[in-house]
Amino acid sequence: MSDAVLAALVDTLVTKFDTPPGSAGAHTPLGETAVDSLALVELGLILEERLGTPVPEGLLHPDQTLQEAAQALAALNSPGPAPTPAT
């Protein structure tokens, strides 16, 4: 599931946030893409709609790689405890 979420995350960054295609891979930190802290909130809202699950504020943060962000997002739909937003 996290591969599909990673693909959705990268696609959203490219199409909605002007991240250059090919510049965002699994090991790219979110902070190195075309998003700032305010855009991370908007990214969460877009992904909520796209993935069909609420994304808690703070779940996405600049130090996360895209793979880590995708895993956190995928865990929102997995049984067990939900991922904890960064503080």
Side-chain angles (χ1 to χ4, degrees), residues 21-81:
S23 69
H27 301 291
T28 304
L30 272 169
E32 290 182 14
T33 65
V35 296
D36 57 20
S37 58
L38 182 59
L40 281 175
V41 174
E42 184 179 354
L43 176 62
L45 294 172
I46 292 169
L47 290 169
E48 272 186 17
E49 186 175 310
R50 189 163 182 178
L51 301 174
T53 188
V55 176
E57 190 173 332
L59 184 71
L60 304 175
H61 55 87
D63 295 331
Q64 279 175 315
T65 65
L66 298 185
Q67 182 65 47
E68 292 167 339
Q71 290 170 341
L73 291 162
L76 294 172
N77 285 327
S78 299

